[in-house]
Amino acid sequence: MARPRNRSVQRVGMVIGLRDDAVEAYRRLHADDEPGVRDLLRKHHITNFSIFVHRLPDGRLYEFAYFEYDGSDLAGDLAALDAEPRNRAWLARCDPMQVPLPGTTSWSVMESVYHND
Amino acid sequence: MARPRNRSVQRVGMVIGLRDDAVEAYRRLHADDEPGVRDLLRKHHITNFSIFVHRLPDGRLYEFAYFEYDGSDLAGDLAALDAEPRNRAWLARCDPMQVPLPGTTSWSVMESVYHND
């Protein structure tokens, strides 16, 4: 069933490494029945958020995130989310499981090359 | 602005390599004003399709695709799309630009580990 589209939404794709010894714990932490920071994402207009995992030819696991931002100030909302104590506690659990790309400290934003509604 | 959600939609994430010498041609081919096979994707219930590109620590470019399937038979629709002559012609242009992961011949489907509406 089709759903209405909002052409003003901003689509963001991000990538980060995932430690092999953390993948099970990461899956559990992100399971559907774990509240995590789902409400905080929505509060800051970060919607339709998906994370995928795949092992690439270098033998390492990577995570790919996709979300849609339906607010009017992405940088401002990300900063506000970052300042939420509960989000900081959440990242303190996730960060040790992840391996930021060289020269970065968190998720890397990817270049968008295509979109079709 | 929030939009209605359809919880029955199937979210798919895929990954494939992209040749360094093809990235400019790939960007042009997928620009907003190129019709490509956009209508065929919609015809087969493949919606909200985004592609992102990033260079990973192995020095190679990778593409990450995200789409939502809002039909009732994903395998059947993918096969029907594959049989469309215009889609075959499209893939004949894209395929030489891409580098499937070892042991595969096209996009690799990733494991979904998280979703938040």
Side-chain angles (χ1 to χ4, degrees):
Chain A
M1 193 176 79
R3 60 187 191 178
R5 296 294 174 202
N6 176 1
R7 290 190 168 272
S8 73
V9 77
Q10 187 170 344
R11 296 172 179 83
V12 180
M14 306 184 300
V15 58
I16 196 168
L18 179 63
R19 293 170 56 104
D20 260 67
D21 59 4
V23 61
E24 278 303 331
Y26 193 89
R27 281 191 191 109
R28 281 196 302 274
L29 198 58
H30 288 75
D32 286 348
D33 58 350
E34 285 285 344
V37 291
R38 295 174 187 271
D39 58 323
L40 296 182
L41 295 174
R42 285 188 210 102
K43 175 182 171 187
H44 296 290
H45 306 287
I46 293 166
T47 68
N48 203 23
F49 197 140
S50 291
I51 300 176
F52 302 91
V53 170
H54 203 76
R55 192 178 300 280
L56 291 188
D58 64 1
R60 297 177 185 178
L61 289 172
Y62 289 91
E63 295 180 73
F64 304 96
Y66 169 89
F67 69 83
E68 295 169 6
Y69 176 71
D70 61 11
S72 56
D73 175 13
L74 176 57
D77 267 308
L78 290 177
L81 173 64
D82 191 53
E84 298 267 8
R86 200 149 52 76
N87 193 61
R88 291 188 175 267
W90 172 257
L91 294 182
R93 297 179 71 184
C94 295
D95 285 354
M97 303 182 184
Q98 295 172 319
V99 186
L101 269 49
T104 72
T105 57
S106 185
W107 291 91
S108 295
V109 174
M110 301 189 284
E111 174 193 353
S112 172
V113 294
Y114 181 71
H115 180 73
N116 192 45
D117 271 341
Chain B
M1 194 176 79
R3 60 187 194 179
R5 297 295 175 200
N6 176 2
R7 290 191 167 273
S8 73
V9 77
Q10 187 170 344
R11 296 171 178 86
V12 180
M14 306 186 300
V15 58
I16 196 166
L18 179 63
R19 294 170 56 106
D20 261 66
D21 59 4
V23 63
E24 278 303 331
Y26 192 89
R27 282 191 191 111
R28 281 196 302 273
L29 198 58
H30 289 76
D32 286 348
D33 58 350
E34 285 286 343
V37 291
R38 293 174 187 271
D39 58 321
L40 297 181
L41 295 173
R42 285 189 209 101
K43 175 182 171 187
H44 296 289
H45 306 286
I46 293 165
T47 68
N48 204 21
F49 197 140
S50 291
I51 300 176
F52 302 90
V53 170
H54 204 76
R55 192 177 301 279
L56 290 190
D58 64 0
R60 297 177 183 177
L61 289 172
Y62 290 90
E63 295 181 74
F64 304 96
Y66 169 89
F67 69 83
E68 295 170 7
Y69 176 71
D70 61 10
S72 57
D73 175 13
L74 176 57
D77 266 308
L78 289 178
L81 173 63
D82 191 54
E84 298 267 9
R86 201 149 52 76
N87 193 61
R88 291 188 175 268
W90 172 257
L91 294 183
R93 298 178 71 183
C94 294
D95 284 354
M97 303 181 183
Q98 295 171 318
V99 186
L101 269 50
T104 72
T105 58
S106 184
W107 289 91
S108 295
V109 173
M110 301 190 283
E111 175 194 353
S112 172
V113 294
Y114 182 71
H115 181 72
N116 191 47
D117 271 341

